[in-house]
Amino acid sequence: SLRYTPKAGRVALAAAGNGGVTIKVSNSGPSIPVGDRARVFEKFARGRHEAAARGNAGLGLYFCKRALLALGGDIRIEETEEWPTSFVITLPAA
Protein backbone atom coordinates (compact mmCIF):
# COMPACT_ATOMS: atom_id res chain seq x y z
CA SER A 1 0.00 0.00 0.00
CA LEU A 2 2.77 2.43 0.81
CA ARG A 3 4.29 2.08 -2.66
CA TYR A 4 1.09 3.32 -4.32
CA THR A 5 0.08 5.99 -1.81
CA PRO A 6 0.84 9.59 -2.80
CA LYS A 7 3.24 11.60 -0.63
CA ALA A 8 0.42 13.35 1.28
CA GLY A 9 -1.84 10.28 1.11
CA ARG A 10 -3.17 8.00 3.81
CA VAL A 11 -2.90 4.31 4.69
CA ALA A 12 -5.23 2.61 7.17
CA LEU A 13 -5.24 -0.80 8.83
CA ALA A 14 -8.32 -2.35 10.39
CA ALA A 15 -8.97 -5.75 11.93
CA ALA A 16 -12.07 -7.48 13.21
CA GLY A 17 -12.83 -10.92 14.55
CA ASN A 18 -16.20 -12.63 14.41
CA GLY A 19 -15.89 -16.36 13.86
CA GLY A 20 -12.64 -15.67 12.01
CA VAL A 21 -10.43 -12.69 11.28
CA THR A 22 -10.80 -9.93 8.71
CA ILE A 23 -7.91 -7.56 8.06
CA LYS A 24 -8.27 -4.57 5.76
CA VAL A 25 -5.33 -2.56 4.38
CA SER A 26 -6.50 0.59 2.60
CA ASN A 27 -4.77 3.48 0.86
CA SER A 28 -5.70 6.74 -0.78
CA GLY A 29 -3.67 6.05 -3.91
CA PRO A 30 -5.19 5.37 -7.31
CA SER A 31 -7.80 2.63 -7.57
CA ILE A 32 -6.97 -0.63 -9.29
CA PRO A 33 -8.98 -0.85 -12.51
CA VAL A 34 -11.78 -3.42 -12.31
CA GLY A 35 -10.25 -5.37 -15.19
CA ASP A 36 -6.95 -5.73 -13.31
CA ARG A 37 -8.35 -6.77 -9.92
CA ALA A 38 -8.32 -10.53 -10.53
CA ARG A 39 -5.13 -10.33 -12.60
CA VAL A 40 -2.98 -8.80 -9.83
CA PHE A 41 -3.22 -12.10 -7.93
CA GLU A 42 -1.74 -14.08 -10.85
CA LYS A 43 1.91 -15.15 -10.97
CA PHE A 44 4.21 -12.46 -12.46
CA ALA A 45 1.27 -10.12 -13.00
CA ARG A 46 1.34 -6.35 -12.71
CA GLY A 47 -1.24 -3.74 -13.55
CA ARG A 48 -1.65 -3.29 -17.30
CA HIS A 49 -0.36 0.29 -17.17
CA GLU A 50 2.39 -0.31 -14.61
CA ALA A 51 5.98 -0.25 -15.78
CA ALA A 52 8.26 -2.98 -14.50
CA ALA A 53 9.71 -1.66 -11.27
CA ARG A 54 13.06 -2.63 -9.85
CA GLY A 55 12.52 -5.35 -7.28
CA ASN A 56 8.93 -6.01 -8.38
CA ALA A 57 8.66 -9.45 -9.95
CA GLY A 58 4.87 -9.65 -9.69
CA LEU A 59 4.94 -12.38 -7.05
CA GLY A 60 3.86 -10.56 -3.87
CA LEU A 61 0.08 -10.68 -4.27
CA TYR A 62 0.30 -14.08 -5.96
CA PHE A 63 2.09 -15.45 -2.90
CA CYS A 64 -0.39 -13.76 -0.52
CA LYS A 65 -3.34 -15.31 -2.36
CA ARG A 66 -1.79 -18.82 -2.40
CA ALA A 67 -0.79 -18.67 1.29
CA LEU A 68 -4.24 -17.46 2.36
CA LEU A 69 -6.03 -20.11 0.29
CA ALA A 70 -3.81 -22.79 1.86
CA LEU A 71 -4.96 -21.58 5.29
CA GLY A 72 -8.64 -21.60 4.30
CA GLY A 73 -8.78 -17.83 3.85
CA ASP A 74 -8.89 -15.41 0.94
CA ILE A 75 -7.92 -11.93 -0.24
CA ARG A 76 -9.91 -9.55 -2.40
CA ILE A 77 -9.88 -5.92 -3.51
CA GLU A 78 -12.57 -3.42 -2.53
CA GLU A 79 -13.09 0.17 -3.60
CA THR A 80 -15.08 2.74 -1.62
CA GLU A 81 -15.48 6.48 -1.93
CA GLU A 82 -13.10 7.04 1.00
CA TRP A 83 -10.58 4.36 0.04
CA PRO A 84 -9.89 3.80 -3.69
CA THR A 85 -7.98 0.60 -2.91
CA SER A 86 -8.47 -1.79 -0.01
CA PHE A 87 -7.11 -5.30 0.27
CA VAL A 88 -9.40 -7.39 2.45
CA ILE A 89 -7.93 -10.54 4.00
CA THR A 90 -10.15 -13.16 5.63
CA LEU A 91 -9.03 -16.09 7.72
CA PRO A 92 -11.19 -18.73 9.41
CA ALA A 93 -11.25 -19.24 13.17
CA ALA A 94 -8.61 -21.62 14.46
Side-chain angles (χ1 to χ4, degrees):
S1 275
L2 292 174
R3 180 186 300 173
Y4 296 99
T5 302
K7 199 172 237 180
R10 300 176 302 138
V11 173
L13 301 172
N18 188 13
V21 175
T22 301
I23 301 167
K24 186 182 278 192
V25 180
S26 305
N27 72 61
S28 61
S31 65
I32 297 173
V34 174
D36 283 348
R37 291 183 187 174
R39 244 179 49 69
V40 299
F41 295 108
E42 294 173 4
K43 189 185 266 189
F44 304 120
R46 297 184 184 94
R48 294 185 198 281
H49 303 293
E50 183 179 344
R54 180 181 167 117
N56 181 357
L59 291 172
L61 290 173
Y62 170 79
F63 174 77
C64 288
K65 179 83 172 183
R66 297 297 153 249
L68 288 163
L69 289 173
L71 295 169
D74 202 8
I75 184 171
R76 68 182 187 282
I77 299 171
E78 285 184 357
E79 179 179 352
T80 64
E81 192 171 309
E82 181 180 10
W83 298 107
T85 301
S86 294
F87 286 90
V88 181
I89 297 165
T90 56
L91 287 165

mmCIF file of all heavy atoms in Angstrom, residues 69-93:
data_model
loop_
_atom_site.group_PDB
_atom_site.id
_atom_site.type_symbol
_atom_site.label_atom_id
_atom_site.label_comp_id
_atom_site.label_asym_id
_atom_site.label_seq_id
_atom_site.Cartn_x
_atom_site.Cartn_y
_atom_site.Cartn_z
ATOM 1 N N LEU A 69 -5.191 -18.978 0.711
ATOM 2 C CA LEU A 69 -6.029 -20.108 0.287
ATOM 3 C C LEU A 69 -5.606 -21.389 0.998
ATOM 4 O O LEU A 69 -6.457 -22.185 1.402
ATOM 5 C CB LEU A 69 -5.969 -20.284 -1.228
ATOM 6 C CG LEU A 69 -6.680 -19.217 -2.061
ATOM 7 C CD1 LEU A 69 -6.396 -19.423 -3.553
ATOM 8 C CD2 LEU A 69 -8.176 -19.204 -1.788
ATOM 9 N N ALA A 70 -4.301 -21.596 1.171
ATOM 10 C CA ALA A 70 -3.810 -22.793 1.863
ATOM 11 C C ALA A 70 -4.258 -22.833 3.324
ATOM 12 O O ALA A 70 -4.412 -23.909 3.900
ATOM 13 C CB ALA A 70 -2.284 -22.855 1.782
ATOM 14 N N LEU A 71 -4.502 -21.665 3.903
ATOM 15 C CA LEU A 71 -4.956 -21.575 5.295
ATOM 16 C C LEU A 71 -6.477 -21.520 5.415
ATOM 17 O O LEU A 71 -7.012 -21.329 6.502
ATOM 18 C CB LEU A 71 -4.347 -20.335 5.955
ATOM 19 C CG LEU A 71 -2.828 -20.353 6.107
ATOM 20 C CD1 LEU A 71 -2.315 -18.986 6.518
ATOM 21 C CD2 LEU A 71 -2.415 -21.418 7.113
ATOM 22 N N GLY A 72 -7.177 -21.646 4.290
ATOM 23 C CA GLY A 72 -8.637 -21.599 4.304
ATOM 24 C C GLY A 72 -9.197 -20.191 4.249
ATOM 25 O O GLY A 72 -10.374 -19.975 4.470
ATOM 26 N N GLY A 73 -8.340 -19.224 3.930
ATOM 27 C CA GLY A 73 -8.780 -17.828 3.846
ATOM 28 C C GLY A 73 -8.837 -17.341 2.414
ATOM 29 O O GLY A 73 -8.851 -18.127 1.473
ATOM 30 N N ASP A 74 -8.825 -16.023 2.273
ATOM 31 C CA ASP A 74 -8.886 -15.414 0.942
ATOM 32 C C ASP A 74 -8.437 -13.966 1.037
ATOM 33 O O ASP A 74 -8.286 -13.412 2.124
ATOM 34 C CB ASP A 74 -10.299 -15.500 0.372
ATOM 35 C CG ASP A 74 -10.342 -15.382 -1.148
ATOM 36 O OD1 ASP A 74 -9.267 -15.377 -1.791
ATOM 37 O OD2 ASP A 74 -11.442 -15.293 -1.696
ATOM 38 N N ILE A 75 -8.238 -13.354 -0.128
ATOM 39 C CA ILE A 75 -7.919 -11.934 -0.237
ATOM 40 C C ILE A 75 -8.671 -11.393 -1.439
ATOM 41 O O ILE A 75 -8.805 -12.076 -2.459
ATOM 42 C CB ILE A 75 -6.393 -11.703 -0.358
ATOM 43 C CG1 ILE A 75 -6.068 -10.197 -0.377
ATOM 44 C CG2 ILE A 75 -5.813 -12.405 -1.558
ATOM 45 C CD1 ILE A 75 -4.581 -9.884 -0.282
ATOM 46 N N ARG A 76 -9.188 -10.176 -1.295
ATOM 47 C CA ARG A 76 -9.909 -9.546 -2.400
ATOM 48 C C ARG A 76 -9.649 -8.044 -2.355
ATOM 49 O O ARG A 76 -9.135 -7.520 -1.378
ATOM 50 C CB ARG A 76 -11.398 -9.847 -2.331
ATOM 51 C CG ARG A 76 -12.109 -9.197 -1.175
ATOM 52 C CD ARG A 76 -13.601 -9.573 -1.127
ATOM 53 N NE ARG A 76 -14.309 -8.833 -0.117
ATOM 54 C CZ ARG A 76 -14.289 -9.072 1.191
ATOM 55 N NH1 ARG A 76 -13.571 -10.090 1.655
ATOM 56 N NH2 ARG A 76 -14.967 -8.334 2.031
ATOM 57 N N ILE A 77 -10.044 -7.365 -3.408
ATOM 58 C CA ILE A 77 -9.883 -5.920 -3.509
ATOM 59 C C ILE A 77 -11.253 -5.276 -3.436
ATOM 60 O O ILE A 77 -12.191 -5.729 -4.085
ATOM 61 C CB ILE A 77 -9.191 -5.537 -4.826
ATOM 62 C CG1 ILE A 77 -7.800 -6.164 -4.873
ATOM 63 C CG2 ILE A 77 -9.112 -4.014 -4.980
ATOM 64 C CD1 ILE A 77 -7.110 -6.041 -6.210
ATOM 65 N N GLU A 78 -11.341 -4.222 -2.626
ATOM 66 C CA GLU A 78 -12.570 -3.421 -2.526
ATOM 67 C C GLU A 78 -12.239 -1.971 -2.845
ATOM 68 O O GLU A 78 -11.118 -1.519 -2.601
ATOM 69 C CB GLU A 78 -13.135 -3.454 -1.109
ATOM 70 C CG GLU A 78 -13.819 -4.720 -0.715
ATOM 71 C CD GLU A 78 -14.423 -4.626 0.683
ATOM 72 O OE1 GLU A 78 -14.264 -3.595 1.371
ATOM 73 O OE2 GLU A 78 -15.035 -5.628 1.091
ATOM 74 N N GLU A 79 -13.225 -1.260 -3.340
ATOM 75 C CA GLU A 79 -13.091 0.172 -3.596
ATOM 76 C C GLU A 79 -14.290 0.880 -2.972
ATOM 77 O O GLU A 79 -15.428 0.464 -3.180
ATOM 78 C CB GLU A 79 -13.046 0.449 -5.097
ATOM 79 C CG GLU A 79 -12.940 1.911 -5.448
ATOM 80 C CD GLU A 79 -12.869 2.153 -6.950
ATOM 81 O OE1 GLU A 79 -12.749 1.187 -7.723
ATOM 82 O OE2 GLU A 79 -12.952 3.318 -7.341
ATOM 83 N N THR A 80 -14.016 1.915 -2.183
ATOM 84 C CA THR A 80 -15.077 2.742 -1.625
ATOM 85 C C THR A 80 -14.771 4.197 -1.961
ATOM 86 O O THR A 80 -13.681 4.511 -2.463
ATOM 87 C CB THR A 80 -15.172 2.595 -0.092
ATOM 88 O OG1 THR A 80 -13.967 3.089 0.501
ATOM 89 C CG2 THR A 80 -15.402 1.146 0.320
ATOM 90 N N GLU A 81 -15.696 5.064 -1.666
ATOM 91 C CA GLU A 81 -15.476 6.480 -1.932
ATOM 92 C C GLU A 81 -14.292 7.005 -1.119
ATOM 93 O O GLU A 81 -13.482 7.780 -1.612
ATOM 94 C CB GLU A 81 -16.740 7.271 -1.590
ATOM 95 C CG GLU A 81 -16.707 8.688 -2.098
ATOM 96 C CD GLU A 81 -18.043 9.369 -1.929
ATOM 97 O OE1 GLU A 81 -19.060 8.784 -2.351
ATOM 98 O OE2 GLU A 81 -18.054 10.478 -1.370
ATOM 99 N N GLU A 82 -14.189 6.571 0.136
ATOM 100 C CA GLU A 82 -13.101 7.039 0.996
ATOM 101 C C GLU A 82 -11.764 6.388 0.646
ATOM 102 O O GLU A 82 -10.715 7.026 0.702
ATOM 103 C CB GLU A 82 -13.424 6.758 2.460
ATOM 104 C CG GLU A 82 -12.342 7.243 3.405
ATOM 105 C CD GLU A 82 -12.643 6.968 4.863
ATOM 106 O OE1 GLU A 82 -13.599 6.230 5.173
ATOM 107 O OE2 GLU A 82 -11.911 7.492 5.699
ATOM 108 N N TRP A 83 -11.799 5.114 0.310
ATOM 109 C CA TRP A 83 -10.579 4.356 0.041
ATOM 110 C C TRP A 83 -10.624 3.754 -1.356
ATOM 111 O O TRP A 83 -11.298 2.755 -1.591
ATOM 112 C CB TRP A 83 -10.405 3.245 1.076
ATOM 113 C CG TRP A 83 -10.265 3.764 2.465
ATOM 114 C CD1 TRP A 83 -11.203 3.695 3.456
ATOM 115 C CD2 TRP A 83 -9.153 4.450 3.018
ATOM 116 N NE1 TRP A 83 -10.733 4.298 4.588
ATOM 117 C CE2 TRP A 83 -9.461 4.774 4.346
ATOM 118 C CE3 TRP A 83 -7.908 4.837 2.521
ATOM 119 C CZ2 TRP A 83 -8.585 5.449 5.189
ATOM 120 C CZ3 TRP A 83 -7.029 5.504 3.355
ATOM 121 C CH2 TRP A 83 -7.369 5.797 4.667
ATOM 122 N N PRO A 84 -9.888 4.329 -2.319
ATOM 123 C CA PRO A 84 -9.890 3.804 -3.687
ATOM 124 C C PRO A 84 -9.393 2.365 -3.791
ATOM 125 O O PRO A 84 -9.820 1.624 -4.664
ATOM 126 C CB PRO A 84 -8.956 4.751 -4.433
ATOM 127 C CG PRO A 84 -8.946 6.006 -3.621
ATOM 128 C CD PRO A 84 -9.123 5.574 -2.199
ATOM 129 N N THR A 85 -8.489 1.975 -2.896
ATOM 130 C CA THR A 85 -7.982 0.602 -2.908
ATOM 131 C C THR A 85 -7.912 0.061 -1.488
ATOM 132 O O THR A 85 -7.272 0.664 -0.627
ATOM 133 C CB THR A 85 -6.581 0.518 -3.547
ATOM 134 O OG1 THR A 85 -6.643 1.015 -4.876
ATOM 135 C CG2 THR A 85 -6.071 -0.915 -3.568
ATOM 136 N N SER A 86 -8.569 -1.061 -1.270
ATOM 137 C CA SER A 86 -8.474 -1.789 -0.006
ATOM 138 C C SER A 86 -8.274 -3.259 -0.320
ATOM 139 O O SER A 86 -8.979 -3.819 -1.157
ATOM 140 C CB SER A 86 -9.748 -1.635 0.830
ATOM 141 O OG SER A 86 -9.935 -0.316 1.259
ATOM 142 N N PHE A 87 -7.298 -3.865 0.339
ATOM 143 C CA PHE A 87 -7.110 -5.302 0.272
ATOM 144 C C PHE A 87 -7.742 -5.878 1.535
ATOM 145 O O PHE A 87 -7.401 -5.476 2.638
ATOM 146 C CB PHE A 87 -5.630 -5.667 0.189
ATOM 147 C CG PHE A 87 -5.038 -5.373 -1.157
ATOM 148 C CD1 PHE A 87 -4.464 -4.141 -1.409
ATOM 149 C CD2 PHE A 87 -5.097 -6.298 -2.172
ATOM 150 C CE1 PHE A 87 -3.936 -3.841 -2.653
ATOM 151 C CE2 PHE A 87 -4.565 -6.009 -3.422
ATOM 152 C CZ PHE A 87 -3.984 -4.782 -3.662
ATOM 153 N N VAL A 88 -8.682 -6.795 1.340
ATOM 154 C CA VAL A 88 -9.400 -7.387 2.453
ATOM 155 C C VAL A 88 -8.997 -8.850 2.577
ATOM 156 O O VAL A 88 -9.182 -9.633 1.642
ATOM 157 C CB VAL A 88 -10.932 -7.275 2.264
ATOM 158 C CG1 VAL A 88 -11.663 -7.867 3.444
ATOM 159 C CG2 VAL A 88 -11.329 -5.810 2.050
ATOM 160 N N ILE A 89 -8.416 -9.191 3.713
ATOM 161 C CA ILE A 89 -7.926 -10.538 3.996
ATOM 162 C C ILE A 89 -8.883 -11.190 4.979
ATOM 163 O O ILE A 89 -9.237 -10.577 5.988
ATOM 164 C CB ILE A 89 -6.508 -10.480 4.605
ATOM 165 C CG1 ILE A 89 -5.534 -9.867 3.602
ATOM 166 C CG2 ILE A 89 -6.050 -11.862 5.077
ATOM 167 C CD1 ILE A 89 -4.220 -9.451 4.220
ATOM 168 N N THR A 90 -9.307 -12.413 4.687
ATOM 169 C CA THR A 90 -10.154 -13.155 5.626
ATOM 170 C C THR A 90 -9.471 -14.481 5.963
ATOM 171 O O THR A 90 -8.886 -15.129 5.096
ATOM 172 C CB THR A 90 -11.557 -13.424 5.048
ATOM 173 O OG1 THR A 90 -11.416 -14.107 3.796
ATOM 174 C CG2 THR A 90 -12.324 -12.129 4.829
ATOM 175 N N LEU A 91 -9.556 -14.823 7.239
ATOM 176 C CA LEU A 91 -9.027 -16.092 7.725
ATOM 177 C C LEU A 91 -10.076 -16.734 8.619
ATOM 178 O O LEU A 91 -10.746 -16.027 9.392
ATOM 179 C CB LEU A 91 -7.738 -15.870 8.515
ATOM 180 C CG LEU A 91 -6.505 -15.504 7.689
ATOM 181 C CD1 LEU A 91 -5.405 -14.960 8.578
ATOM 182 C CD2 LEU A 91 -6.026 -16.735 6.943
ATOM 183 N N PRO A 92 -10.214 -18.051 8.543
ATOM 184 C CA PRO A 92 -11.186 -18.726 9.406
ATOM 185 C C PRO A 92 -10.699 -18.768 10.850
ATOM 186 O O PRO A 92 -9.508 -18.586 11.126
ATOM 187 C CB PRO A 92 -11.274 -20.131 8.813
ATOM 188 C CG PRO A 92 -9.936 -20.334 8.178
ATOM 189 C CD PRO A 92 -9.499 -18.976 7.687
ATOM 190 N N ALA A 93 -11.626 -19.062 11.761
ATOM 191 C CA ALA A 93 -11.250 -19.242 13.166
ATOM 192 C C ALA A 93 -10.376 -20.486 13.291
ATOM 193 O O ALA A 93 -10.504 -21.427 12.506
ATOM 194 C CB ALA A 93 -12.510 -19.392 14.014
#
